[in-house]
Amino acid sequence: MGMLLELILPTECGGCGLSGTGWCADCDAALDVPPVRVRPRMDPGVPCWALGPYRGPARRAVLAAKERGRRDLAEPLGVALAGGLARLRSVDRSLVLVPAPSRTAAARRRGGDPVLRTSRVAARRLPGSRVVPVLRVWRGVRDSVGLTPDERVHNLRGRVMTVPGFGTDWTMPANVEVVVVDDVLTTGATVRESVRALARIGIPAQGVMVTCAA
């Protein structure tokens, strides 16, 4: 029961461990920054942006959301993501946010997909925006933790796809920007395959936004 209550009412900050709050003002300020351009080893062919490096409050919050069941962190992470996107977006265009895919088993273990939850919070903060969770990975794709850069590339090459039938029963709204969203950018393999999967059904992504870059 105690663990359940801690998940519902967190007693420590997900970014720094401060007692008594789920997310403190200092960690909030640490993520409320202009995004920085990053250039991953595997170039997806579109600009990549991150709120910061894979350390500090951003890293701890991402890990807590993924590995400790901290669903409440979708709110501050989503707000931070929305702030970064707002600084980059064209004011006269709406956004379509496409979450990078997670393995089904990993999402089930985490009680859902943290990137999808974060994307939905961000979209609510950005007028005219929407989330289109259309990307999937094939069965047999391994967890990327512990893989070398070359193994990460091989693990995902050609194994990210769109939902069957998508693109035939959905029309891209006019005057929108498509952005692939993820929590951590390492080699760039996941976002590169995501951008390619969208391009195969005629949906060009204009950029990639992540919470932090390793």
Side-chain angles (χ1 to χ4, degrees):
M1 184 65 175
M3 183 178 294
L4 178 60
L5 287 175
E6 184 177 348
L7 292 178
I8 299 173
L9 300 171
T11 57
E12 65 176 36
C13 173
C16 66
L18 179 69
S19 298
T21 179
W23 186 252
C24 74
D26 287 345
C27 289
D28 197 56
L31 268 66
D32 185 18
V33 293
V36 295
R37 180 76 181 270
V38 292
R39 293 172 172 80
R41 174 180 174 181
M42 298 293 110
D43 182 8
V46 298
C48 297
W49 301 86
L51 296 180
Y54 187 54
R55 62 171 182 259
R59 177 182 181 274
R60 288 190 288 268
V62 165
L63 288 175
K66 292 173 73 170
E67 308 302 339
R68 292 175 50 203
R70 287 289 301 269
R71 298 169 65 99
D72 61 297
L73 294 176
E75 185 67 26
L77 291 174
V79 169
L81 188 71
L85 289 165
R87 288 178 167 99
L88 295 174
R89 69 184 297 189
S90 301
V91 294
D92 60 339
R93 302 180 71 182
S94 58
L95 293 174
V96 168
L97 306 183
V98 181
S102 295
R103 294 182 308 120
T104 301
R108 188 182 303 116
R109 186 178 67 248
R110 294 164 180 161
D113 186 344
V115 175
L116 176 58
R117 282 196 293 267
T118 300
S119 299
R120 284 173 170 161
V121 172
R124 289 198 296 269
R125 292 275 182 151
L126 298 165
S129 301
R130 62 181 296 186
V131 177
V132 180
V134 66
L135 297 175
R136 300 290 186 270
V137 291
W138 284 2
R139 291 181 179 178
V141 169
R142 299 162 57 193
D143 193 321
S144 62
V145 175
L147 298 183
T148 67
D150 287 340
E151 288 171 339
R152 286 173 183 261
V153 172
H154 178 73
N155 186 43
L156 285 169
R157 184 178 290 121
R159 292 184 173 94
V160 175
M161 68 190 76
T162 52
V163 173
F166 188 85
T168 60
D169 58 357
W170 188 78
T171 303
M172 175 67 67
N175 199 35
V176 301
E177 293 179 283
V178 178
V179 179
V180 174
V181 176
D182 208 350
D183 49 9
V184 181
L185 183 67
T186 49
T187 63
T190 300
V191 294
R192 184 178 70 168
E193 293 302 322
S194 297
V195 168
R196 288 178 171 179
L198 292 172
R200 284 196 292 270
I201 61 170
I203 297 179
Q206 278 76 48
V208 170
M209 172 65 82
V210 300
T211 303
C212 42

